[in-house]
């Protein structure tokens, strides 16, 4: 057996230097964790850090923080929190300025009709959609790290906000409101929407203070895509009354989609022919233009602004034909010029507002972070998720002072920005200039704009979200578990509501992760012929298995949910049944005779973390192995797992010489022990 790789006895003193160059040495002594620390690490410092209590380390870090308030520390902090200070000095003015200007103006032109349209989804007057298309964009330009990200009004957030606003400020049962009563109702709803923006911004700033940018990973890609696709269907159905000219109250809560469909079908004979005609003509223009922009994006110098063309044509048609007075077509009306006076939103119902703000904040950050990451990977730059939390939190918080509703990055305008040649956040300033010109001077031109056109813009902007369902066949082939997450989330969003669908999708997605850890198999390993590689015995019939030696790999975290499975699996392999009388199992041929295990090597390389319950399970296993006469060796534990096991009392059951840096080292030590403590072993090929 001494001829096996890694199984030779310890080299002499003259060969000690080979340990520092293991790749250049053919044979070397098995390395324990303690010996490895002596050779390759500062053992004194390592032991000091391991023995130092956690509270002491926190106090030591706390004492360092005042040093960060020096002038260099303050400058580093300023660079981290104001990204333009980093990228503006390196801005390529000749190469990038024209692209940013064209892209910014193009996106700004789309922001104007889209902002007014999404304001209707939020149940507030259209002008507040323009405010939301200005202030958040300006703030994100100063604080955001996504060079190609376009922020502003987002259909999914507008739908979620509108449902919350209708719940907080319901319309009177009678429905016939005078002009003054309608203005009072709109003012209350604007205040509720601004309070939701304030709450979501405050929550994101709290997450930033706790450095919880990693929370965006809990909204997996299938959950986000199913959420937006299901919400797109809600948007489509919610806009049907506006398309048909039916003054129906908005349905909220569970089954709202089906309630709206039933109400529309019941009131269908009372639909307005004029508004139905306007809707049909608007969709007949917008949908083909969207398709042309997608199919010829590489050939068009800039996307065709179908929305603004449709807005201008419809406004001119309504003005010249007096559709508002002759056929009672609902129009936008007067857009107030300038900006509203900044004031703090009404926070009298703060608990209810925070409950509604939490899913809005999570969706806003998840969609924005995922979009920013996609384009950061595509154009080779990095995104700071915590800085994104700060940017969107400040954006929502400050914009709420100007009566804006919740905002985030948007799918359609981000794609439009990239296609139009945008390069940096500077494009957001040009977009703000376009919206600002509408707020200051061009607002009266939209007085006669029919609201049915805005509803058509809402529906046409959902094209990209509807087409996400085309990815389902590919998702089925890649991962059926992710396919199930997508379908469950989508069904929950469509049948129940966007908020509940999001919660169900996140919970179901996390449950699939937990279920995967429960189904992990503990693998018995064997040595591949002529190598130092240990592979699962069932993968090949040409793997070396030594009688009396069992090498096991447990590729899953060890926590309270998996400790029972871990115990049963180890008992099955080692024969540690009730009373220790059960014979050990073998992965070899059916007629193979299982020899009692004398040495077991537990490969911990796949054990990513262990909690207190899992660590105690390993300690109990070590005690049971010692009582049964089985020599337990642990291999390749990471520092976190090893620290947890040590705190749980592992070194009271095993010695430091039983902890090895790799499976190869532990197996070599095991072979030496089998040769010296028992009869001569023979290898078995299985």
């Amino acid at each position: 057996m001494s001829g096996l790789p890694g199984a030779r006895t310890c080299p002499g003193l003259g060969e000690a230097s080979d340990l520092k160059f293991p790749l250049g040495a053919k044979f070397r002594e098995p390395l324990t964790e303690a010996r490895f620390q002596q050779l390759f690490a500062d053992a004194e410092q390592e032991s000091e850090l391991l023995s130092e209590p956690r509270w002491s380390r926190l106090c030591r870090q706390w004492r360092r923080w005042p040093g960060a308030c020096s002038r260099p520390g303050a400058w580093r902090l300023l660079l981290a929190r104001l990204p333009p200070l980093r990228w503006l000095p390196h801005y390529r003015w000749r190469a990038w300025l024209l692209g940013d200007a064209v892209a910014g103006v193009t996106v700004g032109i789309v922001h104007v009709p889209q902002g007014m349209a999404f304001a209707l989804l939020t149940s507030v007057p259209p002008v507040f959609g323009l405010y939301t298309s200005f202030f958040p964009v300006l703030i994100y330009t100063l604080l955001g790290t996504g060079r190609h990200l376009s922020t502003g009004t987002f259909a999914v957030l507008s739908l979620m906000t509108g449902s919350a606003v209708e719940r907080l400020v319901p319309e009177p049962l009678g429905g016939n409101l005078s002009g003054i009563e309608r203005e009072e109702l709109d003012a209350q709803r604007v205040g509720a929407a601004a309070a939701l923006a304030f709450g979501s911004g405050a929550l994101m700033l709290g997450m930033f203070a706790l450095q919880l940018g990693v929370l965006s990973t809990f909204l997996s890609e299938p959950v986000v895509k199913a959420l937006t696709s299901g919400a797109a269907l809600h948007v489509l159905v919610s806009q049907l009354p506006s398309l048909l000219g039916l003054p129906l109250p908005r349905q909220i809560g569970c089954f709202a989609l089906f309630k709206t469909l039933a109400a529309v079908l019941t009131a269908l004979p009372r639909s307005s022919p004029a508004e139905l005609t306007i809707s049909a003509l608007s969709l007949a223009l917008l949908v083909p233009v969207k398709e042309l922009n997608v199919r010829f994006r590489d050939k068009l110098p800039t996307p065709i602004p179908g929305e603004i063309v449709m807005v201008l044509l419809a406004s001119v048609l309504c003005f010249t034909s007096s559709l508002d007075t002759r056929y009672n077509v609902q129009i936008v009306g007067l857009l107030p010029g300038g900006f509203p006076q900044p004031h703090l939103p009404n926070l009298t119902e703060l608990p209810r507002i925070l409950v509604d703000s939490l899913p809005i904040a999570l969706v806003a950050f998840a969609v924005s972070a995922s979009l920013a990451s996609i384009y950061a990977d595509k154009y080779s730059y990095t995104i700071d998720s915590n800085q994104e939390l700060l940017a969107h939190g400040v954006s929502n918080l400050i914009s709420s002072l100007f009566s804006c509703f919740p905002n985030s990055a948007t799918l359609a305008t981000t794609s439009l920005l990239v296609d139009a040649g945008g390069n940096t956040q500077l494009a957001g300033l040009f977009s703000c200039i376009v919206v600002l010109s509408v707020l200051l001077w061009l607002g009266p031109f939209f007085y006669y704009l029919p609201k049915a056109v805005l509803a058509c813009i809402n529906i046409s902007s959902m094209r990209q979200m509807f087409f996400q369902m085309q990815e389902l066949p590919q998702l089925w082939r890649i991962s059926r578990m992710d396919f199930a997450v997508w379908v469950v989330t989508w069904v929950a969003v469509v049948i129940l509501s966007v908020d509940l669908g999001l919660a169900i999708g996140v919970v179901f997605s996390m449950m699939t992760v937990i279920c995967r850890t429960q189904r992990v198999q503990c693998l018995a390993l064997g040595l591949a012929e002529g190598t130092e590689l240990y592979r699962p015995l069932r993968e090949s019939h040409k793997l070396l298995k030594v009688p009396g030696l069992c090498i096991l790999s447990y590729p899953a975290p060890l926590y309270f949910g998996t400790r029972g499975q871990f115990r049963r699996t180890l008992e099955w392999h080692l024969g540690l049944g009730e009373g220790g009388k059960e014979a050990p199992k073998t992965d070899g041929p059916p007629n193979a005779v299982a020899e009692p295990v004398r040495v077991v090597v537990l490969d911990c390389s796949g054990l990513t973390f262990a909690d207190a319950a899992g660590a105690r399970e390993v300690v109990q296993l070590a005690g049971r192995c010692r009582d049964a006469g089985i020599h337990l060796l642990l291999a390749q534990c990471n520092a976190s797992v090893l620290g947890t096991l040590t705190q749980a009392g592992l070194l009271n059951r095993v010695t430091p010489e039983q902890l090895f840096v790799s499976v190869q080292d532990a197996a070599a030590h095991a072979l030496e022990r089998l040769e010296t403590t028992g009869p001569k072993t023979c290898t078995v090929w299985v």
Side-chain angles (χ1 to χ4, degrees):
M1 293 303 300
S2 60
L4 288 174
R8 178 166 291 188
T9 57
C10 300
L13 294 175
E15 303 175 18
S17 61
D18 288 342
L19 288 173
K20 296 187 179 181
F21 305 95
L23 295 179
K26 187 173 183 181
F27 302 109
R28 60 172 173 79
E29 66 177 353
L31 276 176
T32 62
E33 288 284 350
R35 180 62 174 154
F36 183 85
Q37 293 297 331
Q38 289 179 353
L39 292 169
F40 299 102
D42 189 348
E44 182 178 354
Q45 182 180 0
E46 185 73 19
S47 61
E48 180 182 349
L49 290 176
L50 288 176
S51 61
E52 184 181 11
R54 182 182 297 271
W55 65 268
S56 179
R57 291 199 298 269
L58 291 176
C59 290
R60 180 161 44 83
Q61 292 177 359
W62 181 267
R63 288 193 298 268
R64 288 178 182 174
W65 287 344
C69 295
S70 61
R71 181 175 298 179
W75 177 245
R76 286 194 299 270
L77 180 63
L78 196 62
L79 287 177
R81 298 297 167 245
L82 287 177
L85 295 179
R86 297 198 306 268
W87 58 262
L88 199 56
H90 306 285
Y91 189 83
R92 303 176 186 174
W93 294 95
R94 292 185 178 180
W96 291 349
L97 183 59
L98 180 60
D100 283 340
V102 172
V105 171
T106 303
V107 171
I109 291 174
V110 174
H111 267 316
V112 172
Q114 190 168 279
M116 292 189 292
F118 289 164
L120 297 183
L121 278 179
T122 317
S123 299
V124 297
V127 69
F128 294 95
L130 296 179
Y131 300 151
T132 311
S133 299
F134 176 78
F135 290 105
V137 178
L138 184 62
I139 296 170
Y140 185 82
T141 301
L142 300 176
L143 298 176
T145 59
R147 288 168 42 188
H148 298 85
L149 210 62
S150 174
T151 58
T153 55
F154 182 40
V156 176
L157 287 187
S158 297
L159 181 69
M160 297 173 68
T161 304
S163 300
V165 167
E166 294 276 351
R167 190 164 51 250
L168 293 170
V169 188
E171 187 169 347
L173 295 178
N176 296 323
L177 302 179
S178 64
I180 298 178
E181 291 174 336
R182 173 61 62 182
E183 289 181 1
E184 292 178 354
L185 180 65
D186 287 342
Q188 293 177 6
R189 288 182 170 179
V190 168
L196 289 170
F198 185 92
S200 60
L203 288 173
M204 282 190 273
L205 287 180
M207 293 164 62
F208 164 74
L210 298 175
Q211 298 292 286
L212 295 180
V214 70
L215 284 182
S216 63
T217 58
F218 288 102
L219 289 179
S220 62
E221 183 178 341
V223 171
V224 173
K225 289 189 174 182
L227 174 74
T228 54
S229 181
L233 191 58
H234 275 278
V235 172
L236 172 62
V237 173
S238 68
Q239 296 304 293
L240 288 179
S242 297
L243 292 178
L244 301 174
L246 297 173
L248 298 177
R250 184 170 181 169
Q251 303 292 335
I252 59 175
C254 296
F255 313 107
L257 186 144
F258 304 101
K259 294 177 183 177
T260 304
L261 282 177
V264 169
L265 291 176
T266 303
L268 194 60
R270 296 186 283 110
S271 59
S272 169
E275 297 201 57
L276 181 60
T277 303
I278 292 174
S279 301
L281 293 177
S282 300
L283 290 175
L285 174 65
L286 291 173
V287 173
V289 169
K290 290 277 187 182
E291 193 66 27
L292 288 174
N293 286 335
V294 172
R295 292 194 177 186
F296 300 100
R297 65 172 62 185
D298 297 331
K299 297 181 179 179
L300 292 173
T302 183
I304 304 172
E307 291 88 349
I308 198 66
V309 172
M310 189 67 247
V311 164
L312 295 176
L313 290 177
S315 299
V316 171
L317 178 64
C318 184
F319 172 72
T320 55
S321 303
S322 301
L323 297 180
D324 56 325
T325 56
R326 294 173 60 185
Y327 299 102
N328 199 25
V329 172
Q330 299 181 25
I331 59 175
V332 169
L334 180 64
L335 294 179
F339 297 105
Q341 291 293 329
H343 65 279
L344 190 68
N346 185 9
L347 303 177
T348 53
E349 298 186 0
L350 187 61
R352 291 181 62 187
I353 290 173
L354 289 179
V355 169
D356 290 317
S357 298
L358 180 59
I360 292 175
L362 291 177
V363 172
F365 177 58
V367 171
S368 301
S370 60
L371 268 179
S373 299
I374 289 172
Y375 287 100
D377 294 340
K378 183 177 180 180
Y379 292 99
S380 303
Y381 60 91
T382 58
I383 291 295
D384 185 349
S385 58
N386 287 308
Q387 179 65 21
E388 288 295 298
L389 268 176
L390 175 66
H392 291 288
V394 172
S395 174
N396 279 274
L397 193 68
I398 293 182
S399 63
S400 69
L401 305 179
F402 296 91
S403 303
C404 297
F405 49 85
N407 58 86
S408 72
T410 63
L411 300 174
T413 55
T414 297
S415 177
L416 181 64
L417 179 73
V418 175
D419 292 341
N423 298 291
T424 66
Q425 297 94 317
L426 194 62
L429 293 180
F430 293 98
S431 174
C432 290
I433 292 173
V434 174
V435 179
L436 180 64
S437 63
V438 174
L439 287 171
L440 295 181
W441 303 296
L442 303 180
F445 291 98
F446 299 97
Y447 182 93
Y448 290 98
L449 175 62
K451 290 186 177 180
V453 175
L454 297 181
C456 294
I457 292 174
N458 278 332
I459 293 174
S460 64
S461 65
M462 297 293 104
R463 174 191 179 279
Q464 196 172 0
M465 299 184 191
F466 282 126
F467 283 177
Q468 288 180 146
M469 301 187 72
Q470 294 178 344
E471 302 175 5
L472 284 179
Q474 183 183 10
L475 190 61
W476 171 267
R477 292 190 296 268
I478 295 174
S479 173
R480 296 187 180 182
M481 193 69 74
D482 286 344
F483 178 87
V485 171
W486 201 104
V487 172
V488 168
T489 305
W490 188 87
V491 171
V493 169
V494 170
I495 294 180
L496 299 177
S497 64
V498 177
D499 300 351
L500 288 177
L502 172 64
I504 292 173
V506 171
V507 171
F508 185 76
S509 177
M510 298 303 297
M511 289 300 298
T512 60
V513 176
I514 296 173
C515 290
R516 290 177 184 179
T517 62
Q518 297 288 329
R519 297 172 57 187
V520 172
Q521 294 183 351
C522 188
L523 305 174
L525 306 182
L527 180 64
E529 181 180 4
T531 70
E532 290 189 5
L533 302 177
Y534 287 84
R535 304 292 297 173
L537 289 173
R538 294 178 180 177
E539 285 189 3
S540 173
H541 296 290
K542 295 183 179 181
L543 295 174
L544 179 63
K545 179 175 176 62
V546 180
L549 173 62
C550 183
I551 304 176
L552 300 175
S553 175
Y554 188 76
L558 183 57
Y559 62 102
F560 65 91
T562 58
R563 61 176 297 189
Q565 183 200 27
F566 175 80
R567 183 195 318 117
R568 291 189 296 270
T569 303
L570 269 293
E571 288 176 350
W572 190 89
H573 280 282
L574 303 180
L576 298 175
E578 192 68 28
K581 298 180 180 179
E582 185 179 338
K585 302 301 182 288
T586 176
D587 289 305
N591 58 352
V593 179
E595 181 177 328
V597 175
R598 288 186 287 148
V599 182
V600 57
V601 177
L602 183 58
D603 177 17
C604 301
S605 59
L607 207 158
T608 55
F609 75 91
D611 66 354
R616 284 194 292 267
E617 195 65 47
V618 176
V619 174
Q620 292 173 9
L621 170 68
R624 295 180 64 185
C625 287
R626 185 180 61 183
D627 296 340
I630 299 176
H631 191 60
L632 174 65
L633 305 176
L634 299 181
Q636 210 165 337
C637 291
N638 64 52
S640 173
V641 172
L642 189 57
T644 305
L645 296 179
T646 303
Q647 294 295 329
L650 178 66
L651 294 182
N652 297 331
R653 306 294 178 91
V654 301
T655 64
E657 286 71 24
Q658 291 174 252
L659 307 176
F660 289 86
V661 297
S662 70
V663 177
Q664 289 81 1
D665 291 279
H669 174 80
L671 294 174
E672 292 176 1
R673 182 178 178 86
L674 288 174
E675 286 185 342
T676 57
T677 61
K680 188 173 180 64
T681 59
C682 61
T683 59
V684 178
W685 296 97
V686 295

